[in-house]
Amino acid sequence: MRTMDDLGDPADFYRHFAEREAKGESRTFEEWARGLAADPEALALVATLPVRKRQPNLVFAAARWHGARTPSGYDDPGALREVLLGQWPQVRETVLARSTQTNEVGRCATLLPVLAGLEGPLALIEVGASAGLCLHPDLWSYRYVDDTGAQVARIDPATGPSGVVLDCIVRGEAPIPPSAPQVVWRGGLDLNPLDLTQPDTARWLETLVWPEHEDRRARLAAACREVADVPVDVVRGDLLTDLDALVDRARAQAPDATVVIFHSAVIAYLDDAGRRAWQDQVTATLERVRAAGGRAHWVSNEGARVLPDVTATARCEGVESDFCLGLDASAVGWTHGHGRRLTWC
Ligand SMILES: C[S@@+](CC[C@H](N)C(=O)[O-])C[C@H]1O[C@@H](n2cnc3c(N)ncnc32)[C@H](O)[C@@H]1O
């Protein structure tokens, strides 16, 4: 999987995105990315964006926001081009104003075995939490299946089955727990926390979901409805500078809980120096909590190239586009980017 630093060459990045990320996931985005990579006029527009704003997911979402038709993009390959060339000032403004804050509740299915394996109760701290949907692993139902589709385990919240059922294929001896962990405190941190009570916010999050992924869009809408009654605090801040303040709040309000600092699809947004700084920061925070007699862990779920030190410890192979799932800097498995599959090492 590529990182955002590779966006310096958008044609190559979009070709790679078509082949390695969109293929098999979204025919529309596969065709759009391949078409754009071969279209000098559209590429020239994308190349005017700041490097980190050239991501296919962001450009395509902005184009859809301004009316590019989906999911019939492959029958109608002009849809993207028409909007990019015809409404570039508007698309550009949306790209610059918004970001790919996709909040994928499905990732809870791949995080759950790690979270439930930790000594509870838990104080969950998610950095890069977006709207905070992944801070509620105890709110959803889970259906784990094997490669043939046969159910391996089903987990429901203590209050009964949820309207949001997360399906996940498991490979390897994943420690699927009998129930969700007990969470006594939860809080998030984000550069731009999203407020789901704003209709525009929910609509943007839905636009970020890939066109053919109707199940994810329906799940997102259902999850947003469920959390409407259980708001979670996601504070504005930078994970490189504001982690300790949040950890201190959790420790003060839930002194007996195990602090779990976690993140999914976030550290890719930092440059190399930022990624190294994050690793140092989280390590120092864990040490500080432990030195004070507390329990603390770090759960990471990021693209294979994002935290190379963690990835290097993996003892089995995942699919090329998989995320590497880590606990305290050691890889425990591989996960599908949207939580559809977990391979336990
Ligand atoms: C792709 S979203 C992932 C959201 C969520 N973790 C999930 O898995 O659904 C990445 C989030 O990270 C946030 N983010 C990126 N860099 C950050 C930073 N330095 N500090 C805090 N949040 C950051 C973005 O604002 C965005 O909401």
Side-chain angles (χ1 to χ4, degrees):
M1 189 183 238
R2 301 212 149 176
T3 68
M4 275 181 254
D5 300 327
D6 300 316
L7 280 161
D9 180 351
D12 186 56
F13 195 99
Y14 275 74
R15 247 189 320 270
H16 186 272
F17 176 87
E19 280 307 312
R20 302 296 170 86
E21 293 188 50
K23 196 175 192 154
E25 291 278 353
S26 166
R27 199 169 150 199
T28 306
F29 277 11
E30 184 189 343
E31 296 290 316
W32 277 12
R34 197 172 290 122
L36 202 150
D39 182 342
E41 226 178 329
L43 267 180
L45 294 175
V46 171
T48 65
L49 295 168
V51 171
R52 285 171 169 266
K53 288 280 183 179
R54 298 174 188 171
Q55 307 155 58
N57 279 322
L58 181 55
V59 171
F60 292 172
R64 294 173 74 202
W65 190 251
H66 291 285
R69 296 175 296 279
T70 60
S72 57
Y74 38 90
D75 299 328
D76 185 11
L80 175 70
R81 187 167 208 277
E82 205 177 296
V83 171
L84 289 186
L85 269 54
Q87 299 181 61
W88 180 248
Q90 295 90 322
V91 173
R92 182 182 166 84
E93 197 183 320
T94 299
V95 166
L96 296 179
R98 296 183 183 267
S99 44
T100 49
Q101 294 193 260
T102 309
N103 201 184
E104 181 49 70
V105 67
R107 293 181 182 132
C108 287
T110 51
L111 297 173
L112 191 80
V114 180
L115 298 179
L118 303 174
E119 184 180 343
L122 306 181
L124 291 182
I125 295 177
E126 184 182 16
V127 297
S130 183
L133 292 177
C134 294
L135 278 162
H136 298 281
D138 48 346
L139 205 57
W140 326 119
S141 287
Y142 300 85
R143 193 163 44 212
Y144 292 97
V145 299
D146 65 18
D147 271 309
T148 69
Q151 185 169 305
V152 174
R154 161 113 194 181
I155 300 167
D156 291 310
T159 48
S162 161
V164 178
V165 182
L166 308 180
D167 288 309
C168 180
I169 298 169
V170 266
R171 295 179 181 158
E173 300 296 313
I176 306 294
S179 57
Q182 187 194 4
V183 180
V184 291
W185 195 92
R186 59 196 98 214
L189 183 66
D190 202 287
L191 286 178
N192 182 39
L194 292 183
D195 177 1
L196 286 172
T197 61
Q198 303 294 316
D200 221 26
T201 301
R203 197 160 72 83
W204 174 249
L205 282 179
E206 282 175 29
T207 306
L208 286 169
V209 175
W210 292 13
E212 292 85 353
H213 294 188
E214 286 303 339
D215 60 332
R216 288 179 60 213
R217 226 178 331 272
R219 204 167 62 188
L220 172 66
C224 291
R225 280 195 299 274
E226 287 219 13
V227 298
D229 298 332
V230 278
V232 66
D233 201 11
V234 179
V235 296
R236 187 176 297 276
D238 189 323
L239 56 87
L240 290 178
T241 49
D242 301 313
L243 174 68
D244 280 330
L246 196 55
V247 169
D248 289 345
R249 230 176 87 200
R251 295 265 296 142
Q253 293 173 0
D256 298 326
T258 299
V259 170
V260 184
I261 300 158
F262 76 102
H263 49 84
S264 269
V266 173
I267 307 304
Y269 290 81
L270 309 182
D271 60 17
D272 278 341
R275 290 176 202 164
R276 279 193 298 275
W278 166 246
Q279 224 164 318
D280 292 345
Q281 169 64 66
V282 76
T283 305
T285 301
L286 295 179
E287 280 169 8
R288 191 171 65 84
V289 174
R290 289 170 186 162
R295 298 184 305 274
H297 294 283
W298 170 34
V299 177
S300 54
N301 187 38
E302 299 288 339
R305 283 177 57 190
V306 174
L307 293 170
D309 294 350
V310 180
T311 302
T313 66
R315 284 165 299 160
C316 73
E317 302 248 321
V319 175
E320 192 196 345
S321 59
D322 274 356
F323 286 2
C324 183
L325 179 63
L327 172 63
D328 296 332
S330 284
V332 294
W334 297 94
T335 70
H336 178 272
H338 301 138
R340 295 190 194 276
R341 184 182 58 247
L342 166 65
T343 304
W344 196 261
C345 290

